[in-house]
Amino acid sequence: MAIKKNMRLGDLLVESGLISEADLELTLKEKSPDQRLGDALVQKGYVTEMQLIEVLEFQLGIPRVTLYNYPFDTSLLKIVPKEFAKRNLVIPLKKESSKLFVAMADPMDYIVINDLRLSTGFSIEPLIATKDDIIRSISKYYDIDDFGKEIAATTEMEDEQLDAQVEDNDSPVVKLVNQLLQQAVVQQASDIHIDCQEAKVLVRFRVDGSLRLERSLPKHVQGSLITRIKIMANLDITEQRVPQDGRIKLNVDYRQIDLRISTLPTIYGEKIVIRLLDLSLAQNDISQIGFEGDNLNKFLSLIKQPHGIVLLTGPTGSGKSSTMYSALSKLNNEDVNIITIEDPVEYQVEGINQIQVNPNVGLTFATGLRSILRQDPNIIMIGEIRDRETADMAVRASITGHLVFSTLHTNDSLGTVARLKDMGVELFLIASSLNGVVSQRLVRKICRDCKVERDVTVRESEIFAKYGITTDKVSYGTGCPTCNETGYRGRTAIHEVLVIDDQIRQALLNNETTITIRDIAVKNGLKFLIEDGLQKVKKGVTTTEEILRVALD
């Protein structure tokens, strides 16, 4: 054990078989100098944080601790300064005679242990906790306590004094905004909602598609909080009657985060929604976004066509843009000219010409597309087909030798033809230009750290049997600190890939019903959303409840 105590984390992980020497060398080479090795390995997806902890617990004999409902001795917070706790990811838990028990993200950091021993006068007993768990606890016990005192002090201030502090980095409002952004990044939230109520301000995070209350703030901080966010996004702080949109780029915990800010006037003040785009989590590999076997092959064949339209359909927030970006990244090389027109430009990709729609100067999807066609493009991506003019331009571009990607709001792949007809596009043009349609939904993945198996229920076995799938066991998450006790961590996509072949083209030209076209598609191998989802349930990726929440049986 003594030998292992002096082993480095990377060597321990290699010895335990969780990563290879090559993985370790690549991570050490690519990580930033200030980043911890464990964080870099988790970020790359080689290990989960819980696997790291299990290795350290087993190899070093250091016990692990869950801080979710831990009975903290808050008097100990005074002997470990907040800055030290935040910088080194440590938090004191309890003391027994001359021993101080401390939760640490890296219990092998002997310099920090020694600093703690010298500064507190106690002998230090390290315990392992996850990084997220420690950050949440520091925020809960240090920051909220400090913030509560600072906010209490602001109740006596006039609104003008509060507003004057929004650019002072040490003011409570600036600290609050920074803290909310950091917590949202740690929890991998996709959106922050700031809702103005009659007597308070609610802050909610959307994590894995579900909104949950993060914090309730006193009403008197509303004005300065909104002003601070608008200043960061270069919005007009004097205009509170019309909606505004802005953008912020930040670095939070070594990650580049793109924030899209949207304000909306309500009767109790401006509601703000902040969309977080974590550029380090942007998935460019098509095989990593949820496409399975046959669907992956169909999608790859669709995007390799020389011309035609490929449409992605689904509701707002179903990952359509991410799938389009992964397709463009696959096709992006020196010998093709790719131009996109988007509203807004979500991810900026090197080597692709991206245009932002601006209706104020007359730059709409349709007018932008007309100009794009004069720029000798090979591949065109239109953010969304919203009207007949854009649809007509997209069809015209596709039948003159361009590959066109776009999105459309329909419930399934087969409803796309009816939607285009409804927009006024002629049937013969749809039949000759449309290559295929991908319908997509996002479902939550079972947390890897608390995943367990159970027998299928009678109702589940009936649903599986209906689609010719057999399985005795399915998985679910019991809930743990990693997933905030929800049982889910992260999301993946389920797909329905409709390839427009000659038989379907003929049916379209004959003005056949949707039911007839569906029968042809099923005979030719179309798998519905629910079928793709149930295959993922069988593989232990997600749960039946999640699939039935987003796909019709």
Side-chain angles (χ1 to χ4, degrees), residues 369-382:
L369 194 47
R370 204 170 281 119
S371 301
I372 286 172
L373 291 172
R374 292 195 280 270
Q375 290 281 321
D376 185 31
N378 299 98
I379 299 166
I380 300 167
M381 192 262 263
I382 308 162

Side-chain angles (χ1 to χ4, degrees), residues 10-36:
D11 298 330
L12 280 176
L13 291 168
V14 171
E15 189 184 281
S16 61
L18 279 174
I19 62 170
S20 66
E21 284 280 2
D23 293 339
L24 175 61
E25 283 173 24
L26 182 68
T27 309
L28 286 168
K29 185 177 166 186
E30 291 183 356
K31 79 177 187 71
S32 60
D34 300 331
Q35 194 176 19
R36 297 165 191 264

Side-chain angles (χ1 to χ4, degrees), residues 77-88:
L77 299 177
K78 295 185 183 74
I79 66 172
V80 178
K82 181 175 79 173
E83 286 67 30
F84 184 89
K86 271 188 164 179
R87 188 172 66 249
N88 298 297

Side-chain angles (χ1 to χ4, degrees), residues 203-217:
V203 179
R204 295 183 294 168
F205 288 174
R206 189 180 291 281
V207 180
D208 294 337
S210 300
L211 269 175
R212 56 174 180 243
L213 183 65
E214 178 67 19
R215 196 175 292 188
S216 179
L217 299 168

Side-chain angles (χ1 to χ4, degrees), residues 226-227 229-231 233-247 260-265 270-274 360:
I226 289 168
T227 302
I229 293 168
K230 287 170 87 170
I231 285 172
N234 289 322
L235 299 179
D236 183 355
I237 59 172
T238 61
E239 183 55 82
Q240 298 170 6
R241 300 160 301 168
V242 295
Q244 296 185 64
D245 293 306
R247 195 168 196 154
R260 292 213 320 257
I261 316 296
S262 172
T263 74
L264 187 72
E270 287 177 283
K271 173 180 169 67
I272 289 188
V273 175
I274 302 172
N360 296 332

Side-chain angles (χ1 to χ4, degrees), residues 291-347:
F291 279 105
E292 299 278 340
D294 198 31
N295 278 347
L296 177 61
N297 294 333
K298 284 180 182 175
F299 185 62
L300 288 172
S301 72
L302 284 176
I303 67 172
K304 286 175 182 171
Q305 298 294 325
H307 54 80
I309 300 177
V310 178
L311 291 176
L312 281 106
T313 74
T316 305
S318 58
K320 301 186 297 292
S321 297
S322 297
T323 304
M324 276 206 297
Y325 279 115
S326 69
L328 291 179
S329 297
K330 176 95 178 161
L331 300 169
N332 185 16
N333 55 55
E334 288 179 5
D335 58 2
V336 291
N337 179 19
I338 302 176
I339 306 180
T340 76
I341 180 158
E342 305 166 66
D343 182 23
V345 173
E346 292 197 32
Y347 297 105

Side-chain angles (χ1 to χ4, degrees), residues 371-427:
S371 301
I372 286 172
L373 291 172
R374 292 195 280 270
Q375 290 281 321
D376 185 31
N378 299 98
I379 299 166
I380 300 167
M381 192 262 263
I382 308 162
E384 187 185 340
I385 294 177
R386 296 177 182 169
D387 51 49
R388 179 176 179 174
E389 194 182 1
T390 310
D392 283 340
M393 289 297 299
V395 167
R396 201 175 306 162
S398 70
I399 58 180
T400 53
H402 304 94
L403 182 60
V404 179
F405 292 98
S406 191
T407 67
L408 202 63
H409 288 278
T410 60
N411 287 330
D412 56 15
S413 57
L414 290 155
T416 305
V417 173
R419 180 83 181 92
L420 289 171
K421 272 171 67 179
D422 187 47
M423 281 182 172
V425 183
E426 297 286 351
L427 261 179

